Amino acid sequence: MDDLILVTGAGGFIGGHLVSELRQLGHRRIRAVDIKPMEEWYQVLPGADNRQLDLRHLDACAEAANGARQIYNLACDMGGMGFIETHKAECMLSVLINTHMLMAARDARVERYFYSSSACVYAAGKQTRPDVAPLKEEDAYPAMPEDGYGWEKLFSERMCRHFREDAALETRVARYHNVYGPHGTYEGGREKAPAAICRKVIAAQRAGADEIEVWGDGQQTRSFMYIDDCLFGTQTIMASDITEPINLGSDELVTINHLIDIVEDIAGVRLKRRYNLAAPKGVRGRSSDNTLITQKREWAPAVRLRDGMEKTYGWIYDQMTVPVASRRVYS
């Protein structure tokens, strides 16, 4: 518990939750790093070694990795479909972060290195129907991932593999499938579908409107993993002997229309839907095949989508309507 753990991307959604979780588990030395000024971090843990560093640069990675025994590399430039479809070059530049972090980890003799990949690495031809077959790990090849962001993630997975083979750096890679929950982006263009839908429903209620805009026709399908399941799965994979990239996600497949149904039910409203077929919408269908992680680690998501969305909605509602001093605490 006295070993130094580095979490990069700690000012972001998953990274902030992970720093908090590690401290709750009793880890006493945590270094939290993000490119954003600390006043823009989603969560700042007092007592952690909090640093603002641009990890696209090797010297910053060396500073971050110095003395660390384990590294959770969650840092990247990303967002929902509205961001990654229009910022492909920016997403690709995140390859500098993982490349330089791997080099710094090797030089610092880090014992174990976790990389957060994405379901966006999966071949587009496997995701053309709403009733998509759950994606297995081998479905990433032959390669045709999401342009920009997906290619960066797939390349970085290979970098982790080759540093493990050539430099004896123990690397672990999880392919995250649509993580959601409180303390994340819900406006500004980087938000993902669960948070965006919550925001739209709340905004419609507050404005007295009777409709919301939906990107696509609402029939596209996804699975969504609550943050608590992501944190537990991440640490499970980090501690395991699983060296190849592995899925970490929910297999509870839903349409975007059904996700809206859930949020409307939580909010106690029914709204008209104005479908914007020209908006970014991503692949037609995507879900996680959890066979491998179930076999190797007996892991399965524990939080139902309805329950996780209720917590997410409550947190976003408070951000949009409640004075800071009166807001509730969400985990």
Side-chain angles (χ1 to χ4, degrees), residues 203-212 270-271:
Q205 285 182 295
R206 299 189 71 200
D210 64 353
E211 73 171 18
I212 59 171
R270 284 292 179 266
L271 300 168

Side-chain angles (χ1 to χ4, degrees), residues 106-172:
R106 175 199 61 196
D107 295 345
R109 300 185 182 276
V110 169
E111 291 186 357
R112 192 156 290 205
Y113 181 100
F114 176 90
Y115 177 67
S116 59
S117 186
S118 166
C120 288
V121 303
Y122 284 111
K126 300 280 188 178
Q127 304 171 81
T128 58
R129 297 168 53 89
D131 56 342
V132 63
L135 293 163
K136 298 181 179 180
E137 284 76 6
E138 60 263 30
D139 290 332
Y141 295 94
M144 188 51 67
E146 190 81 43
D147 200 11
Y149 179 72
W151 276 110
E152 184 275 320
K153 289 295 186 184
L154 194 62
F155 176 84
S156 292
E157 287 186 3
R158 303 295 286 192
M159 287 290 287
C160 289
R161 171 181 172 177
H162 296 315
F163 268 78
R164 187 183 74 251
E165 294 170 339
D166 296 352
L169 173 61
E170 286 292 330
T171 59
R172 302 292 183 264

Side-chain angles (χ1 to χ4, degrees), residues 70-84:
Q70 294 187 358
I71 294 176
Y72 290 88
N73 183 18
L74 309 180
C76 68
D77 202 352
M78 60 85 68
M81 290 309 304
F83 180 80
I84 66 176

